[in-house]
Coordinates of all heavy atoms in Angstrom, one line a residue:
V50 N -145.2 -272.7 75.2 CA -146.4 -273.1 75.9 C -146.3 -274.6 76.2 O -146.0 -275.4 75.3 CB -147.6 -272.8 75.0 CG1 -148.8 -273.5 75.6 CG2 -147.8 -271.3 75.0
D51 N -146.6 -274.9 77.5 CA -146.8 -276.4 77.8 C -148.3 -276.5 78.3 O -148.6 -276.2 79.4 CB -145.8 -276.8 78.9 CG -145.9 -278.3 79.2 OD1 -146.9 -278.9 78.8 OD2 -145.0 -278.8 79.9
Q52 N -149.1 -276.8 77.3 CA -150.6 -276.9 77.6 C -150.9 -277.7 78.8 O -151.8 -277.4 79.5 CB -151.2 -277.4 76.3 CG -152.7 -277.5 76.4 CD -153.4 -278.2 75.3 OE1 -152.7 -278.6 74.3 NE2 -154.7 -278.4 75.4
K54 N -149.6 -278.0 81.5 CA -149.5 -277.4 82.8 C -150.5 -276.2 83.1 O -150.5 -275.6 84.1 CB -148.1 -276.8 82.9 CG -147.0 -277.8 83.0 CD -145.6 -277.2 83.2 CE -144.6 -278.2 83.4 NZ -143.2 -277.6 83.2
C55 N -151.3 -275.9 82.0 CA -152.2 -274.7 82.2 C -153.4 -275.1 83.0 O -154.1 -276.1 82.6 CB -152.5 -274.2 80.8 SG -153.6 -272.7 80.9
T56 N -153.7 -274.4 84.0 CA -154.9 -274.6 84.8 C -156.1 -273.7 84.4 O -157.2 -273.8 85.0 CB -154.6 -274.4 86.3 OG1 -154.2 -273.0 86.5 CG2 -153.5 -275.3 86.8
G57 N -155.8 -272.8 83.5 CA -156.9 -271.9 83.1 C -157.1 -270.8 84.1 O -158.2 -270.2 84.0
C58 N -156.2 -270.5 84.9 CA -156.4 -269.5 86.0 C -156.5 -268.0 85.4 O -156.9 -267.1 86.1 CB -155.3 -269.6 87.1 SG -153.7 -269.0 86.5
R59 N -156.0 -267.8 84.2 CA -156.0 -266.5 83.5 C -155.1 -265.5 84.2 O -155.2 -264.3 83.9 CB -157.4 -266.0 83.4 CG -158.3 -266.9 82.5 CD -159.6 -266.1 82.1 NE -160.5 -266.9 81.4 CZ -160.6 -267.1 80.1 NH1 -159.7 -266.6 79.3 NH2 -161.5 -267.9 79.6
T60 N -154.2 -265.9 85.0 CA -153.2 -264.9 85.6 C -152.4 -264.3 84.5 O -152.1 -263.1 84.6 CB -152.3 -265.6 86.6 OG1 -153.0 -266.3 87.6 CG2 -151.3 -264.7 87.3
C61 N -152.0 -265.0 83.5 CA -151.3 -264.5 82.4 C -152.0 -263.4 81.7 O -151.4 -262.3 81.3 CB -150.9 -265.6 81.4 SG -152.4 -266.5 80.8
E62 N -153.3 -263.5 81.5 CA -154.1 -262.5 80.8 C -154.1 -261.2 81.7 O -154.0 -260.1 81.1 CB -155.5 -263.0 80.6 CG -155.6 -264.1 79.5 CD -157.1 -264.5 79.3 OE1 -158.0 -264.1 80.1 OE2 -157.3 -265.2 78.3
M63 N -154.3 -261.4 83.0 CA -154.3 -260.2 83.9 C -153.0 -259.5 83.9 O -152.9 -258.3 83.8 CB -154.6 -260.7 85.3 CG -156.0 -261.3 85.5 SD -157.3 -260.2 84.9 CE -157.9 -261.0 83.5
A64 N -151.9 -260.3 83.9 CA -150.5 -259.7 83.9 C -150.3 -259.0 82.6 O -149.7 -257.9 82.6 CB -149.5 -260.8 84.1
I80 N -152.3 -262.2 75.3 CA -152.3 -263.7 75.4 C -153.8 -264.1 75.7 O -154.4 -263.3 76.4 CB -151.4 -264.2 76.5 CG1 -151.3 -265.7 76.5 CG2 -151.7 -263.7 77.8 CD1 -150.2 -266.3 77.3
R81 N -154.3 -265.1 75.1 CA -155.6 -265.5 75.3 C -155.7 -267.0 75.7 O -155.0 -267.8 75.1 CB -156.5 -265.4 74.0 CG -156.6 -264.0 73.5 CD -157.8 -263.3 74.1 NE -157.7 -261.8 74.1 CZ -158.1 -261.1 73.1 NH1 -158.6 -261.6 72.0 NH2 -158.0 -259.7 73.2
I82 N -156.4 -267.3 76.7 CA -156.6 -268.7 77.2 C -157.8 -269.2 76.5 O -159.0 -268.7 76.6 CB -156.8 -268.8 78.7 CG1 -155.5 -268.2 79.4 CG2 -157.0 -270.2 79.1 CD1 -154.2 -268.9 79.0
I83 N -157.6 -270.3 75.7 CA -158.8 -270.9 75.0 C -159.1 -272.1 75.9 O -158.3 -273.0 76.2 CB -158.4 -271.4 73.6 CG1 -158.0 -270.2 72.8 CG2 -159.6 -272.1 73.0 CD1 -157.5 -270.5 71.4
K84 N -160.4 -272.2 76.3 CA -160.9 -273.3 77.2 C -161.7 -274.3 76.4 O -162.6 -274.0 75.7 CB -161.7 -272.7 78.3 CG -160.9 -271.9 79.3 CD -161.8 -271.4 80.5 CE -160.9 -270.7 81.5 NZ -160.3 -271.7 82.5
N91 N -157.1 -276.4 78.8 CA -156.9 -275.0 78.5 C -155.7 -274.8 77.6 O -154.7 -275.6 77.8 CB -156.7 -274.3 79.8 CG -157.7 -274.6 80.8 OD1 -158.9 -274.1 80.7 ND2 -157.4 -275.4 81.8
Y92 N -155.8 -273.9 76.7 CA -154.7 -273.7 75.8 C -154.3 -272.2 75.8 O -155.1 -271.3 75.3 CB -155.0 -274.1 74.4 CG -153.8 -274.0 73.5 CD1 -152.8 -274.9 73.6 CD2 -153.8 -273.0 72.6 CE1 -151.7 -274.8 72.8 CE2 -152.6 -272.8 71.8 CZ -151.6 -273.7 71.9 OH -150.5 -273.6 71.1
P93 N -153.1 -271.9 76.3 CA -152.6 -270.5 76.2 C -152.2 -270.2 74.7 O -151.3 -270.8 74.2 CB -151.4 -270.4 77.1 CG -151.5 -271.7 77.9 CD -152.2 -272.7 77.0
N94 N -152.9 -269.2 74.1 CA -152.7 -268.9 72.7 C -151.8 -267.6 72.6 O -152.3 -266.6 73.0 CB -154.1 -268.7 72.1 CG -154.1 -268.7 70.6 OD1 -153.1 -269.3 70.0 ND2 -155.0 -268.1 69.9
V95 N -150.6 -267.8 72.1 CA -149.7 -266.7 72.0 C -149.1 -266.5 70.6 O -149.1 -267.5 69.9 CB -148.5 -266.8 73.0 CG1 -149.0 -266.7 74.4 CG2 -147.8 -268.1 72.8
A164 N -144.6 -260.4 80.6 CA -145.3 -260.5 81.9 C -146.0 -261.8 82.1 O -146.1 -262.3 83.2 CB -146.3 -259.3 82.0
C165 N -146.6 -262.3 81.0 CA -147.4 -263.6 81.1 C -146.5 -264.7 81.6 O -146.9 -265.5 82.5 CB -148.0 -264.0 79.7 SG -146.8 -264.1 78.4
A166 N -145.3 -264.8 81.1 CA -144.3 -265.9 81.5 C -143.9 -265.6 82.9 O -143.7 -266.5 83.7 CB -143.2 -265.9 80.5
F168 N -145.5 -264.2 85.4 CA -146.5 -264.4 86.4 C -147.2 -265.8 86.3 O -148.0 -266.1 87.2 CB -147.5 -263.3 86.4 CG -146.9 -262.0 87.0 CD1 -146.3 -261.1 86.2 CD2 -146.8 -261.8 88.4 CE1 -145.7 -259.9 86.7 CE2 -146.2 -260.7 88.9 CZ -145.7 -259.7 88.1
C169 N -147.0 -266.5 85.3 CA -147.7 -267.8 85.2 C -147.3 -268.7 86.4 O -146.1 -269.0 86.5 CB -147.4 -268.6 83.9 SG -148.1 -270.2 83.9
P170 N -148.2 -269.1 87.3 CA -147.8 -269.8 88.5 C -147.4 -271.3 88.3 O -146.8 -271.9 89.1 CB -149.0 -269.7 89.4 CG -150.2 -269.6 88.4 CD -149.6 -268.8 87.3
T171 N -147.7 -271.8 87.1 CA -147.4 -273.3 86.9 C -146.3 -273.5 85.9 O -145.9 -274.7 85.6 CB -148.7 -274.0 86.3 OG1 -149.0 -273.4 85.0 CG2 -149.9 -273.7 87.3
G172 N -145.8 -272.5 85.2 CA -144.8 -272.7 84.2 C -145.4 -273.2 82.9 O -144.6 -273.7 82.0
A173 N -146.7 -272.9 82.7 CA -147.3 -273.3 81.4 C -146.8 -272.4 80.3 O -146.8 -272.8 79.1 CB -148.8 -273.3 81.5
V174 N -146.5 -271.2 80.6 CA -145.9 -270.2 79.6 C -144.6 -269.8 80.1 O -144.4 -269.4 81.2 CB -146.8 -269.0 79.5 CG1 -146.2 -268.0 78.4 CG2 -148.2 -269.4 79.1
K175 N -143.6 -270.1 79.3 CA -142.2 -269.7 79.6 C -141.6 -268.9 78.5 O -142.0 -269.0 77.4 CB -141.4 -271.0 79.8 CG -141.6 -271.7 81.1 CD -140.6 -272.8 81.2 CE -140.8 -273.6 82.5 NZ -140.1 -274.9 82.4
Ligands
SF4_219 S1 -151.2 -268.2 84.1 FE1 -150.4 -270.0 83.4 S2 -151.7 -271.6 84.2 FE2 -152.8 -269.7 84.5 S3 -154.1 -269.6 82.6 FE3 -152.2 -268.5 82.2 S4 -150.9 -270.1 81.2 FE4 -152.6 -271.1 82.3

Side-chain angles (χ1 to χ4, degrees):
V50 167
D51 185 343
Q52 180 189 356
K54 290 184 179 166
C55 180
T56 61
C58 69
R59 296 192 188 271
T60 303
C61 53
E62 291 182 346
M63 296 304 109
I80 183 170
R81 295 273 158 85
I82 298 302
I83 300 173
K84 289 183 173 275
N91 307 289
Y92 184 75
N94 196 21
V95 293
C165 54
F168 287 96
C169 174
T171 65
V174 181
K175 283 187 181 166

